[in-house]
Amino acid sequence: MTRALSTGTFFVAVLLYGVASALFFLDIARKETRITASIGSVPPPRRSSWAAMSLGVAAAFHLAYVTFASLVARVCPVNSVHFSLSVASILAIAVYLPARRRVRIDAIGVLLAPLGLVFVLGTFFLGQPGPAHTISPAFLALHVLANLAGTALFLLAGGAAMLYLVQEKRLKKKRTDRLRIGNLPPLEVLDQAVHRFLVAGFPLLTLGVLTGTIWAKSLENGTVEEILRAVLGYATWLVIAAVLILRAAAGWRGRRAAYGTIAGFCCVAAVLVVYLVRPVVELGSPRIGG
């Protein structure tokens, strides 16, 4: 009975976290069209209320799942890192929901909802006994394609952010007339391009993080290269989420958004370097006997 309750609460939590993640992301993606004269004059959209409600109910089922799963696995949440992360995400949501009524921090939900989903998935897969799960080729292809597409869009966003800083510097030094061939687009166009590339790439990278949670079990005994790659992937996701949140909640645009995007670009570049260095090391290692 307890195992059935554990499984049921897990699937409900996953579903509601997914709904909340989608609603919060749509709110972030469409916020640009709602900004008119001043930030703060637009009332919170109804979508945010549904997202917050879904997030709260998801956290409640998440707590129920952790409770039932602890009884089934006989694991104390305090003594398990993965269960502790789940509890921490639930507490963060519990603080966020009442705080959003007093402070305009609705955009933080785009970070909390996927994190709750990652932690509940991680707790489920990491708690499974026996050998590692068999990954189907279709699932592996989804994971790889999502990460590749998200990485490509973030590279484009990083390039646009660099062009923004170059154009801004040129405008400040009044050098716009010296280079007639290949003049850069206006700052507003570059800023919008950065934002759109980030908005397009964020859900893809989120999908990559979620599907990659299944491999989290191997990271406990993984190589330095595997752990570093995972850490850089999560760091990239967190940096991009922070840029989107600050743009929506604090009005970050222009230079600050460009610097934040370049920080995410550096994380993406570091992940690519890890991927590229590995085959070089393997090819360059000495072989005995031909």
Side-chain angles (χ1 to χ4, degrees), residues 189-275:
V189 173
L190 291 171
D191 183 59
Q192 287 292 329
V194 171
H195 180 66
R196 289 172 182 172
F197 284 134
L198 292 182
V199 167
F202 185 73
L204 292 170
L205 187 60
T206 301
L207 179 59
V209 169
L210 293 175
T211 53
T213 304
I214 295 179
W215 282 276
K217 191 170 185 176
S218 64
L219 292 181
E220 295 180 347
N221 300 315
T223 64
V224 175
E225 179 264 337
E226 290 174 335
I227 296 175
L228 179 61
R229 190 173 59 203
V231 169
L232 290 173
Y234 282 114
T236 302
W237 186 84
L238 289 172
V239 170
I240 300 303
V243 173
L244 292 174
I245 290 171
L246 290 171
R247 185 181 183 96
W252 266 35
R253 282 170 180 74
R255 184 190 305 174
R256 289 179 294 183
Y259 280 126
T261 303
I262 291 174
F265 171 83
C266 292
C267 292
V268 172
V271 173
L272 294 177
V273 169
V274 173
Y275 272 106

Side-chain angles (χ1 to χ4, degrees), residues 1 6 14 22 42 68 79 85 100 113 117 119 143 149-151 154 163 178 185 187-188 237 239 265 269 274 277 281:
M1 180 64 180
S6 173
V14 168
V42 182
F68 291 130
N79 296 327
L85 288 174
R100 63 179 289 273
L117 183 54
F119 290 148
H143 174 75
T151 298
F154 289 150
L163 291 179
R178 295 186 182 181
L187 291 178
E188 183 179 356
W237 186 84
V239 170
F265 171 83
V274 173
V277 168
V281 172

Side-chain angles (χ1 to χ4, degrees), residues 16-57:
L16 291 175
Y17 273 134
V19 171
S21 299
L23 291 176
F24 277 119
F25 174 74
L26 289 175
D27 183 47
I28 290 287
R30 297 180 181 178
K31 206 171 189 65
E32 291 292 311
T33 61
R34 296 198 305 268
I35 296 176
T36 54
S38 61
I39 298 174
S41 61
V42 182
R46 190 173 184 82
R47 190 184 302 110
S48 296
S49 300
W50 284 106
M53 185 183 303
S54 300
L55 182 62
V57 179

Side-chain angles (χ1 to χ4, degrees), residues 75-90:
V75 175
C76 177
V78 178
N79 296 327
S80 171
V81 174
H82 311 296
F83 279 95
S84 297
L85 288 174
S86 285
V87 173
S89 67
I90 294 169

Side-chain angles (χ1 to χ4, degrees), residues 2-3 5-7 9-10 62-75 83 123-124:
T2 304
R3 186 176 297 277
L5 289 174
S6 173
T7 303
T9 52
F10 165 76
H62 190 170
L63 179 60
Y65 165 69
V66 169
T67 303
F68 291 130
S70 299
L71 295 175
V72 171
R74 299 184 181 278
V75 175
F83 279 95
T123 302
F124 179 80

